[in-house]
Amino acid sequence: MPVNRPRPEPSSHPISRRTVLRGSLIAAAAAGLPAVSPPVRAVAAGGGRSVAVFGGGVSGLTAAHELSERGYQVTVYEPVALGGKARSMSVPGTGAGGRLDLPGEHGFRFFPGCYQHIPETMSRIPFPGNARGVADNLVRVQAATVAFRDLPPVVTPVEVGGLAEITPETLRTTLAAAVGLIPRLPPQELALFTQKMLRWFTSSTERRFGEWEYRSWAQVMEADGKSDAYREYLVNALTRITVAAKPYRSSARTIGTIGEALVLAGTGLVPQYGGGVDRILNRPTNEAWIDPWVAHLRGLGVRFELGAKAIGLELDNGRITSARVSGGADGRVDADWYICAMPVERAVPLLSDDILDADPRLAGMRDLEVDWMVGIQYYLTRPTDLPEGHIAALGTPWALTALRQAAMWVGDFASRYGDGSVVECLSVDVSDWDTPGIVFGKSAKDCTKDEVAQEVWAQLSAWLNNSTGWLREDDIHSWFLDPGVHWTGGAATNDTPLLVNTIGSWDNRPEAATAIPNLFFAGDHVRTHIDLATMEGANESGRAAANALLDAAGDPGSRAPIYPLYAPPVFEPLKALDADRYRAGLPHLLDA
């Protein structure tokens, strides 16, 4: 079932006429576009089963997958590239001697064990030699490297061994062990952190949505007045490396939700969270997943219109009658059903006055916020000797995380990619583009492209090279920054920002179904269980959009499964008690 939390009454979060009028400006701008040709059907439709999906990222491909399996005629319209922010891409002109171009990407892929929807979809995508299709291309990661400035990095297991059951005490012990490696953390603050996490685990749904949603992570963790180690590492760093989240602006409920799922996956005691807490793909994303997925969808009859962007929706008599597109499918698209699977910043311009009049709840989408989380890859002529697995450089100004890729990919990297001299690809995600760096004293947004590359390498070296010498600047063959970031007139812009779940933003996020019976939304801004801008959230939202369409069509066929996050039964009595206390206006027992 889709996530369907009750929205606040209109009186508590009113939608002002001024807010609606902002949409009319967008609609007016769209109305000024050149005239387009007469409608064409998305596909040769019959029996009301043609579907137009706008956006070919994970959410759009998921919706197309589910609906095409159920006999719907689906056309996907994508303006840039299939796979969206999840795709990998070639670095043009870098292949030689019959080799492929070097692989680049928006950012490295991470598939924690709490992801349930993505692996299930992958298992239905055929891949040569794999019994479970693309899902068998996931590789389990056993350890992670945690680095602090001026201290030797620590290599630590990502999973907890020896636990017989999940209880409040074993959870407290596990959390204490996991964060106990943080240097200079006072014992009383370690105890406070574990208490706050236990408070989350035992908070009722009512308190989570009524209290945690409207407070920042820094507030609930009582960051003010604490030690530098507590604020910098436990509150700030652990939040910033989680999809560009900022501790003083992010909803505490969102951070608590993903934190709980990761902790439970790390215990190894949750059957639904199989495969370990950390997995990566065993080759570049497009080779391992996206290209086989697109080929499979084509085999199911899905059509793809590349270079086509939705720029307007036509509403008549309460239904969408057509969509205006620019680019590859120049003109208007006429289908029976419409799924908007575009990123929120690209979906918002479609919300014209008549759309908002038909469903005023959608106006909240315009108040959702995005931020930058972008990757850079370094191609090296010698192995780094970094351990396999993810790298968290905690406390770096730009909130860097990294992954040594070639060592965990199939085949010989130098023989397959580049000019034969590159043996290693170190992929780095930059999650903070607003804080000054250590070399140029500027934020990433204020740096040139070359300065970004120099600054990222300098920060990684300062955090990782203490007593190791893992990174050597002389080994850099070249580097590649996500082309979504580009410079115009000296200013950096980003075509691929990421949704950030700010305080109270759940109220502004749409469900997959709308009050317009043939219009649906998918994307990581749609309400999902994982509640974070992730591939998993995008996949779940695509399933929810497909199910909502099936419901609206009165289709008797099966629905795409939606998997809730696991909730340990041992905490249910405490949650029930807390629900009574919350309704009575009383604090949580751990705060009493």
Side-chain angles (χ1 to χ4, degrees), residues 273-294:
Y273 294 171
V277 70
D278 188 359
R279 294 166 293 185
I280 66 170
L281 289 167
N282 62 3
R283 39 174 67 81
T285 310
N286 269 41
E287 294 181 36
W289 176 25
I290 301 300
D291 289 347
W293 198 6
V294 171

Side-chain angles (χ1 to χ4, degrees), residues 266-315:
T267 66
L269 297 176
V270 181
Q272 297 94 311
Y273 294 171
V277 70
D278 188 359
R279 294 166 293 185
I280 66 170
L281 289 167
N282 62 3
R283 39 174 67 81
T285 310
N286 269 41
E287 294 181 36
W289 176 25
I290 301 300
D291 289 347
W293 198 6
V294 171
H296 180 57
L297 294 182
R298 289 188 193 277
L300 292 173
V302 176
R303 292 181 56 219
F304 295 95
E305 290 283 352
L306 298 179
K309 176 184 177 181
I311 56 176
L313 298 172
E314 303 293 341
L315 184 73

Side-chain angles (χ1 to χ4, degrees), residues 80 92 214 344 438 500-501 519 544 557 584:
V80 181
Y214 299 101
V344 65
I438 64 175
V500 288
N501 294 351
L519 176 64

Side-chain angles (χ1 to χ4, degrees), residues 515-536:
I516 301 170
N518 66 336
L519 176 64
F520 312 90
F521 281 89
D524 48 28
H525 56 286
V526 172
R527 292 180 172 189
T528 62
H529 290 95
I530 199 72
D531 193 44
L532 200 64
T534 58
M535 299 177 293
E536 174 75 352

Side-chain angles (χ1 to χ4, degrees), residues 17-230:
R17 179 63 180 165
R18 181 177 181 180
T19 299
V20 174
L21 285 174
R22 288 209 314 263
S24 68
L25 298 177
I26 298 171
L33 292 165
V36 293
S37 56
V40 295
R41 296 202 68 79
V43 293
R49 299 177 72 83
S50 69
V51 184
V53 177
F54 300 110
V58 171
S59 64
L61 294 180
T62 300
H65 194 160
E66 299 298 341
L67 291 169
S68 61
E69 283 188 339
R70 290 158 176 81
Y72 285 78
Q73 300 161 316
V74 182
T75 302
V76 176
Y77 300 85
E78 166 54 43
V80 181
L82 296 173
K85 291 187 282 287
R87 76 189 190 279
S88 59
M89 62 202 81
S90 297
V91 183
T94 57
R99 301 176 186 85
L100 299 172
D101 286 338
L102 291 167
E105 57 195 355
H106 171 78
F108 60 77
R109 309 268 64 80
F110 167 46
F111 299 83
C114 56
Y115 282 14
Q116 302 173 82
H117 299 92
I118 285 281
E120 196 277 336
T121 293
M122 287 178 161
S123 70
R124 293 186 279 129
I125 304 170
F127 193 90
N130 288 359
R132 295 180 60 249
V134 164
D136 283 342
N137 289 336
L138 291 173
V139 178
R140 191 164 178 167
V141 177
Q142 303 292 343
T145 300
V146 183
F148 308 91
R149 191 169 190 179
D150 301 325
L151 291 171
V154 177
V155 180
T156 180
V158 295
E159 298 175 25
V160 180
L163 289 184
E165 59 180 342
I166 298 171
T167 67
E169 189 52 41
T170 59
L171 181 64
R172 186 192 299 272
T173 302
T174 299
L175 289 168
V179 301
L181 56 83
I182 292 176
R184 298 181 289 274
L185 180 66
Q188 66 272 21
E189 293 180 359
L190 172 60
L192 174 66
F193 176 80
T194 58
Q195 180 196 37
K196 293 295 183 183
M197 289 303 296
L198 279 175
R199 184 185 187 274
W200 165 263
F201 272 84
T202 54
S203 285
S204 60
T205 299
E206 292 86 346
R207 191 178 300 278
R208 290 182 178 189
F209 278 88
E211 179 184 312
W212 290 76
E213 172 64 22
Y214 299 101
R215 301 183 68 193
S216 73
W217 184 247
Q219 284 177 303
V220 301
M221 300 307 290
E222 300 180 13
D224 291 344
K226 299 300 185 297
S227 68
D228 290 344
Y230 185 86

Side-chain angles (χ1 to χ4, degrees), residues 376-398:
I376 183 172
Q377 290 80 53
Y378 295 91
Y379 306 104
L380 310 175
T381 56
R382 283 194 295 172
T384 65
D385 296 325
L386 280 163
E388 294 182 0
H390 287 98
I391 301 155
L394 297 185
T396 43
W398 289 4

